Amino acid sequence: MDLLSGGFLRGGVGFLRASGDMLKGTSSVSKDVRIGVTQACVVFVSTLGGSWLEANFLAFLSLLMELASHGRATQTPADAALTRRCVSFILRSTLGSLLGEKAQTNAAKHLCLTVAAQKRGIDAAVTDGNVETRGSSADVSASQHVVVCCLLELGRLIQGLGSTAAPLLMDSSTVLLDTVISILLHPAASARLAAAWCLRCVVMAMPSQCSLLLDRCAERLVALKSSPEAVAGYGAAVAALVAAVQHCPLGIPHTKGKVVLGLAEDLLRSASQNSRISLQRTQAGWLLVSSLVTLGPAVVEHHLSRLLLLWRCVFPASLREQEMELQRGDYFTWQVTLEGRAGALSAMKNLLLCCSELATDDVISRLLTPLACSVALLAKLPALLRSYGGSIRSWSIVYRLRVYELLAVLPPHTYQESFGLVMNQLVSDLSSQDNLNQPCSELTLLPPLCHHDDLPLVGPALYDTDHRYIEGQLHSSSVGGGLSGQ
């Protein structure tokens, strides 16, 4: 394990010397080496078997968490993302297949205790340091990767255990729900989202917890709506819990939908009142709206007029008005604007997917002006990027993704007047060298539309999501084969 850890962290330095000097002297570890180490760890543990893993789980978990938090493995956001995927892949491929029910329950306890220890460390760092700069501290940077890996696997274990995981929620030694909920205030966004996802897994395993957790998170969202972390964390948690209802046969009380919409409207109305939390309130508000729509037509039909009003307010009243707004604002106002419109487009898409019977000709006609404005803005994004540079780049990528997602589920005749503009933008997105040289979110809509043999023509970014890269390597003839070797 020391050898494998050294290979993961240092690559050619002292690793795989038998293969020659090919890797020596490299300043960074290639993805292929880390993929190879990931495969080797899974095979190694699988060969030793479930009994060994159960007896040595604490040492094994400690080693993986050291990899997840090590500075060498998380030097860049891309390195950190790959490391988290590798660690999560090892955990899922071993805990999920080698351990029995009792051992999985014990593993879930230790994962929860690891998260609690990380939270205590962050709280201590915040107490000793400057609260305003805690998001950039080394402690936060290291802890978020450990917390994300632990929470994702904890959620998967609980979901797999189902109702037999109920004693975990009552265990006073772990206080599982309190621990997970406390991470909703973590300074790192990835940790907050992982906590929200873990709560979603809890209610899918034990639907009776849904209303209780929903009330708890909604109350905290209202009480702490002046805190950026609280708005983002609790907003994501409420959205995750509401979106989980579609998978739970018990459902939730009908009045909860009204409560969620009220929270969303309050966040969106107050977003402009305090620039410090405008982005968080805008994002959380539209997340809540999108999750509300997943409750289905029986709930949404009572709130449809309010939803249509929200959509009308976030977009310009006409194309001429949109042209005028392009002449004003700064990078921050455009961040908030793109965030809000991307969220609105996502909620529209959910309406068409989850409440198709409500998408009558009258409703769609009332969406045509927002749709025309959103498509027209696509052509203006390059000019905005030239004006404000990288400060709005990520928001523009998400915005384009949301536009394409909505267009993919709308009847084509509803936007036939924009065919030329849409096609020009698609050609630009697909042919831009800048897009082909790095992971590009908007291209991830293509896989279900393409033949498998055609995907390599579009670039490796299509494969660089979730565990797909790692799993692709598992089925290739050699480490580092797969797409990158074609």
Side-chain angles (χ1 to χ4, degrees):
M1 295 303 289
D2 284 343
L3 180 65
L4 291 174
S5 297
F8 195 93
L9 296 175
R10 294 183 293 276
V13 182
F15 183 60
L16 295 179
R17 294 195 184 277
S19 65
D21 295 335
M22 178 177 65
L23 298 175
K24 286 185 180 179
T26 55
S27 60
S28 62
V29 184
S30 73
K31 295 173 71 173
D32 291 344
V33 170
R34 287 186 172 148
I35 295 300
V37 172
T38 299
Q39 296 178 28
C41 283
V42 172
V43 174
F44 175 61
V45 176
S46 299
T47 302
L48 289 173
S51 298
W52 178 90
L53 179 59
E54 183 176 356
N56 296 276
F57 176 70
L58 278 177
F60 181 62
L61 179 64
S62 177
L63 178 104
L64 292 180
M65 294 305 105
E66 182 180 345
L67 294 182
S69 60
H70 201 286
R72 279 182 175 269
T74 57
Q75 291 179 350
T76 67
D79 287 339
L82 177 66
T83 296
R84 288 199 301 265
R85 292 180 208 168
C86 289
V87 171
S88 292
F89 186 78
I90 294 170
L91 287 171
R92 184 83 302 245
S93 300
T94 54
L95 305 188
S97 59
L98 299 177
L99 298 183
E101 183 179 295
K102 182 178 178 181
Q104 286 190 9
T105 301
N106 188 55
K109 289 182 181 180
H110 288 302
L111 288 168
C112 187
L113 291 173
T114 301
V115 172
Q118 292 294 321
K119 183 63 170 64
R120 288 193 296 271
I122 292 299
D123 290 343
V126 171
T127 301
D128 296 338
N130 187 335
V131 174
E132 294 302 321
T133 60
R134 66 186 184 275
S136 60
S137 70
D139 291 326
V140 171
S141 179
S143 80
Q144 65 173 312
H145 309 304
V146 173
V147 168
V148 169
C149 292
C150 287
L151 286 176
L152 291 180
E153 185 56 29
L154 177 61
R156 294 184 187 106
L157 286 174
I158 291 174
Q159 196 169 343
L161 290 169
S163 59
T164 58
L168 278 172
L169 305 188
M170 308 301 294
D171 191 336
S172 59
S173 65
T174 57
V175 286
L176 188 147
L177 289 179
D178 288 345
T179 299
V180 175
I181 289 175
S182 71
I183 301 299
L184 295 173
L185 295 175
H186 196 284
S190 60
R192 296 193 296 265
L193 292 174
W197 179 260
C198 189
L199 291 177
R200 181 183 191 274
C201 293
V202 169
V203 302
M204 289 179 67
M206 290 160 280
S208 60
Q209 293 290 326
C210 189
S211 285
L212 298 175
L213 286 173
L214 186 56
D215 289 341
R216 183 174 176 180
C217 291
E219 289 171 3
R220 299 306 294 161
L221 177 59
V222 173
L224 299 174
K225 64 180 181 179
S226 295
S227 164
E229 291 86 358
V231 170
Y234 284 108
V238 172
L241 293 170
V242 173
V245 172
Q246 60 187 308
H247 305 290
C248 301
L250 291 179
I252 55 175
H254 195 73
T255 54
K256 299 295 182 187
K258 184 177 181 180
V259 171
V260 171
L261 183 55
L263 285 172
E265 290 176 330
D266 182 58
L267 288 170
L268 293 173
R269 276 197 306 266
S270 62
S272 60
Q273 297 174 3
N274 187 337
S275 61
R276 188 174 65 92
I277 50 179
S278 292
L279 272 172
Q280 290 83 359
R281 286 183 176 177
T282 300
Q283 184 181 64
W286 285 113
L287 269 177
L288 294 180
V289 173
S290 291
S291 66
L292 171 72
V293 176
T294 66
L295 294 177
V299 173
V300 175
E301 65 176 343
H302 299 288
H303 309 299
L304 189 56
S305 60
R306 293 165 68 182
L307 293 177
L308 290 170
L309 179 61
L310 286 176
W311 284 321
R312 189 181 72 185
C313 291
V314 77
F315 289 96
S318 65
L319 290 173
R320 183 163 178 259
E321 185 175 317
Q322 180 167 274
E323 288 291 336
M324 294 172 61
E325 75 176 7
L326 292 170
Q327 308 301 320
R328 57 182 184 268
D330 56 18
Y331 78 93
F332 180 74
T333 58
W334 275 107
Q335 285 178 355
V336 178
T337 297
L338 292 174
E339 179 69 55
R341 293 180 187 176
L345 292 167
S346 183
M348 290 179 191
K349 180 201 71 175
N350 276 357
L351 178 72
L352 296 173
L353 291 177
C354 302
C355 307
S356 56
E357 52 266 58
L358 298 181
T360 62
D361 291 341
D362 177 61
V363 169
I364 290 180
S365 69
R366 297 173 70 177
L367 299 178
L368 290 183
T369 297
L371 180 63
C373 290
S374 64
V375 172
L377 185 56
L378 288 177
K380 306 298 182 181
L381 289 178
L384 290 175
L385 286 170
R386 286 193 297 271
S387 298
Y388 305 117
S391 58
I392 66 166
R393 179 171 177 78
S394 60
W395 281 270
S396 70
I397 289 175
V398 173
Y399 176 80
R400 290 208 303 272
L401 172 64
R402 300 305 180 215
V403 173
Y404 293 151
E405 284 179 334
L406 178 59
L407 295 180
V409 297
L410 273 171
H413 69 83
T414 59
Y415 59 95
Q416 60 184 357
E417 294 181 358
S418 303
F419 279 176
L421 195 156
V422 172
M423 290 302 297
N424 287 337
Q425 188 62 43
L426 285 172
V427 170
S428 174
D429 286 339
L430 291 172
S431 61
S432 171
Q433 194 63 32
D434 183 47
N435 286 343
L436 295 176
N437 286 338
Q438 58 182 317
C440 189
S441 297
E442 64 266 40
L443 294 182
T444 57
L445 296 178
L446 277 177
L449 306 176
C450 293
H451 188 277
H452 182 270
D453 294 337
D454 294 333
L455 288 177
L457 300 175
V458 192
L462 289 175
Y463 283 83
D464 198 18
T465 56
D466 205 4
H467 294 140
R468 197 173 301 166
Y469 184 87
I470 295 173
E471 291 169 345
Q473 303 307 309
L474 291 172
H475 299 291
S476 62
S477 58
S478 62
V479 175
L483 182 61
S484 59
Q486 291 181 23

